Amino acid sequence: GIQVEQSPPDLILQEGANSTLRCNFSDSVNNLQWFHQNPWGQLINLFYIPSGTKQNGRLSATTVATERYSLLYISSSQTTDSGVYFCAAFWGKLQFGAGTQVVVTP
Amino acid sequence: EPEVTQTPSHQVTQMGQEVILRCVPISNHLYFYWYRQILGQKVEFLVSFYNNEISEKSEIFDDQFSVERPDGSNFTLKIRSTKLEDSAMYFCASVYPSADTQYFGPGTRLTVL
């Protein structure tokens, strides 16, 4: 099956800082999604991004399908951005990466 | 905005007991999934369901697990005889065409004592 690797595993940011999270996947995929898992454990859809670039407020994502990676950018981070960020690649089902634990400090 | 709902939000059960986790997918969606997440680990695929039958299942989804769509709106996951290692967050997801955005429910946290 598809292997999905995320980096870095942990990230500590000061409020206001920018950061980039990376997701590598081992094979061609039909779909790639980014999620934010909040402190209550809920998976919040951030982006559906099989290719190209999308922006939603302070978050943006880019997927380069031919090179099998996706990037999630967080700009001007806030404490509410804390949590675990997962990418997941679809080939019949979603295969999740291990996540990046983000802590934003005031 | 339509959303996937799951009940209960928390379930505590004794080892060996049967549990049924319930999900109501988004109404016009055609593909349904169950995933689970053991505390501190990544989300893992359990089973996919389309056209009233299982389309794919993982090695985790053994004979103790079953899924059903009994009435055209609910989608259930049954664990016949729970084990300690079944303790996890269970997520239901649905999608309209299969490769589009999967929408996840809020999860059911299952604790097996």
Side-chain angles (χ1 to χ4, degrees):
Chain A
I2 293 174
Q3 305 300 311
V4 179
E5 293 182 357
Q6 292 187 242
S7 60
D10 300 281
L11 195 56
I12 300 176
L13 300 169
Q14 194 135 25
E15 207 167 21
N18 303 326
S19 64
T20 301
L21 282 57
R22 187 176 178 103
C23 173
N24 293 330
F25 41 96
S26 61
D27 209 339
S28 301
V29 296
N30 297 116
N31 169 18
L32 188 113
Q33 289 184 238
W34 282 96
F35 298 88
H36 176 217
Q37 188 163 41
N38 65 21
W40 296 271
Q42 295 175 332
L43 288 168
I44 310 300
N45 269 314
L46 296 177
F47 294 101
Y48 163 81
I49 186 160
S51 64
T53 297
K54 290 187 179 179
Q55 178 142 15
N56 184 2
R58 295 180 296 101
L59 300 181
S60 64
T62 294
T63 297
V64 183
T66 52
E67 297 188 21
R68 299 178 187 164
Y69 73 88
S70 185
L71 303 173
L72 179 71
Y73 305 97
I74 306 174
S75 64
S76 305
S77 56
Q78 299 177 358
T79 56
T80 52
D81 295 330
S82 296
V84 183
Y85 289 81
F86 290 103
C87 70
F90 180 85
W91 188 258
K93 70 260 188 186
L94 283 177
Q95 181 69 42
F96 282 75
T100 293
Q101 173 84 56
V102 173
V103 175
V104 182
T105 61
Chain B
E1 184 175 310
E3 58 183 18
V4 178
T5 59
Q6 290 186 242
T7 54
S9 55
H10 294 92
Q11 173 117 30
V12 180
T13 190
Q14 295 291 324
M15 192 168 55
Q17 295 296 303
E18 174 183 286
V19 295
I20 297 175
L21 310 183
R22 291 183 167 81
C23 168
V24 179
I26 294 173
S27 63
N28 66 334
H29 284 186
L30 301 177
Y31 296 81
F32 313 109
Y33 300 81
W34 284 101
Y35 296 83
R36 79 170 188 191
Q37 184 183 31
I38 294 170
L39 188 63
Q41 297 186 21
K42 66 180 178 181
V43 180
E44 302 172 286
F45 166 77
L46 289 178
V47 66
S48 57
F49 192 85
Y50 169 70
N51 201 24
N52 276 322
E53 60 183 26
I54 290 173
S55 42
E56 187 174 352
K57 58 185 181 181
S58 72
E59 59 274 10
I60 302 168
F61 194 89
D62 62 21
D63 292 345
Q64 293 301 310
F65 291 87
S66 62
V67 289
E68 199 177 32
R69 188 156 160 81
D71 55 13
S73 61
N74 290 284
F75 180 49
T76 62
L77 174 69
K78 183 194 290 187
I79 310 175
R80 288 190 186 82
S81 178
T82 49
K83 307 184 187 82
L84 295 175
E85 55 265 36
D86 294 327
S87 294
M89 180 79 102
Y90 288 80
F91 293 102
C92 171
S94 72
V95 62
Y96 172 59
S98 63
D100 205 348
T101 304
Q102 285 194 23
Y103 290 88
F104 280 68
T108 292
R109 189 172 297 282
L110 176 66
T111 301
V112 182
L113 303 176

